[in-house]
Amino acid sequence: MTVKKPTAIQAVILASTAGVAGRLGHQLATHNVSVMATVSAVLAVLFTGAFIASRVADVGRTVSYACPVKGCQVSITARGASTGQHDRLRALATDHSKHSGGA
């Protein structure tokens, strides 16, 4: 698995999160909050920002295919698939005979 460079929106999310975490840490430290509580709060903010940034990345790599036949509820969602896998999943979802038992 290769690690992809962050997109601009991910970079903004991570930079904003770092700023919020730094400001929060400073405010808690100046109000005599314990070191453990301050570290816990800062880490919670940082991990939340990282999680949101990772979810934004997943949205950009997610594709959904649905059957065009009215009333058929078959839908396939693929994330991080190769071109060949996308072609196979698209064919499976859009060809009603392949997933309906020939009906």
Side-chain angles (χ1 to χ4, degrees):
M1 183 173 142
T2 60
V3 177
K4 297 186 186 216
K5 290 167 70 174
T7 62
I9 188 71
Q10 288 174 293
V12 168
I13 291 170
L14 293 172
S16 300
T17 300
V20 169
R23 177 77 175 150
L24 175 66
H26 179 264
Q27 286 181 337
L28 292 175
T30 58
H31 285 88
N32 296 325
V33 175
S34 73
V35 172
M36 287 302 290
T38 301
V39 169
S40 296
V42 168
L43 287 176
V45 170
L46 290 173
F47 282 119
T48 301
F51 176 76
I52 291 170
S54 73
R55 297 303 296 159
V56 167
D58 286 344
V59 168
R61 293 184 311 223
T62 303
V63 179
S64 294
Y65 304 107
C67 181
V69 174
K70 187 171 179 113
C72 183
Q73 296 183 6
V74 169
S75 175
I76 298 173
T77 301
R79 178 177 47 229
S82 69
T83 303
Q85 290 170 322
H86 276 289
D87 292 342
R88 185 179 60 79
L89 294 171
R90 182 184 313 109
L92 178 62
T94 57
D95 187 350
H96 188 69
S97 65
K98 288 185 179 177
H99 61 260
S100 66

